[in-house]
Amino acid sequence: MSTLVRAFLAAAFLLPPCAGAAEPAQEKITHVVEMFGSSLGCNFHMPQQNMVPWKDKNGAGYLVLFLIDYGCSGGNTMDRPVLAVVRIGAYSTPYIDHWLSTPDRTSDDFPAIVERITKIGDTIQYSGRRLRPSDSLCCASQRVQGTVTLATHGWEPRAENVIP
């Protein structure tokens, strides 16, 4: 067998494992999160900026924020934020870490509307709007910013500040 044929066969057998090491496209991750969120409730919504790199003792992936009407209860004020961890499996296949991603693991103490999560250093911050006493249920107007923390019982908001 010629050296060229051997090189080709070696490359053909080595490419699939190497190809699996690449990061999946954002669209693929978004699709997995949408399928997961839609299985939990209605009115799934996930702005593209709500995905940040995440790493813990179980590996790396992404922390994703989406909004759903959990249980499809209806009404325009029934959406709630849910944080989910997406891990990357074999052949760059994204999957949901169910232990960290159910609505019960995202505290009800987050603002009514969480617009964005960002990562600054090792800190994940959120920005959103809380209801003021004078606000209608549909229209939270008090801008806030805080930190997302993973506590023993789930995702918690911390160090929240009002943005003037």
Side-chain angles (χ1 to χ4, degrees):
M1 193 180 298
S2 76
T3 307
L4 183 60
V5 171
R6 286 182 189 170
F8 174 76
L9 290 174
F13 286 108
L14 292 176
L15 276 179
C18 295
E23 287 295 312
Q26 185 171 352
E27 296 82 28
K28 198 172 183 182
I29 295 170
T30 301
H31 177 74
V32 167
V33 173
E34 183 175 1
M35 293 297 100
F36 173 69
S38 296
S39 73
L40 300 171
C42 301
N43 233 10
F44 175 88
H45 178 66
M46 185 187 115
Q48 290 299 321
Q49 71 268 18
N50 285 341
M51 184 183 328
V52 296
W54 169 257
K55 186 175 183 176
D56 64 7
K57 65 181 180 178
N58 296 319
Y62 297 91
L63 181 63
V64 179
L65 172 95
F66 61 91
L67 302 165
I68 58 166
D69 173 0
Y70 184 49
C72 298
S73 53
N76 62 353
T77 61
M78 300 310 293
D79 289 356
R80 73 177 306 269
V82 177
L83 289 161
V85 172
V86 178
R87 305 230 187 247
I88 309 304
Y91 302 103
S92 300
T93 304
Y95 67 94
I96 301 291
D97 182 333
H98 290 278
W99 179 250
L100 297 173
S101 304
T102 61
D104 327 1
R105 303 282 290 170
T106 302
S107 172
D108 290 333
D109 293 334
F110 277 98
I113 299 170
V114 180
E115 297 166 332
R116 181 180 201 116
I117 58 173
T118 55
K119 186 171 184 178
I120 300 171
D122 289 336
T123 304
I124 296 174
Q125 295 183 332
Y126 66 88
S127 57
R129 292 179 277 147
R130 285 200 179 273
L131 288 169
R132 292 181 178 169
S134 60
D135 287 344
S136 300
L137 288 177
C138 69
C139 309
S141 65
Q142 180 61 65
R143 298 188 59 72
V144 294
Q145 185 173 19
T147 303
V148 176
T149 303
L150 180 57
T152 55
H153 54 279
W155 301 103
E156 293 285 337
R158 299 275 192 251
E160 188 172 279
N161 297 308
V162 172
I163 300 172

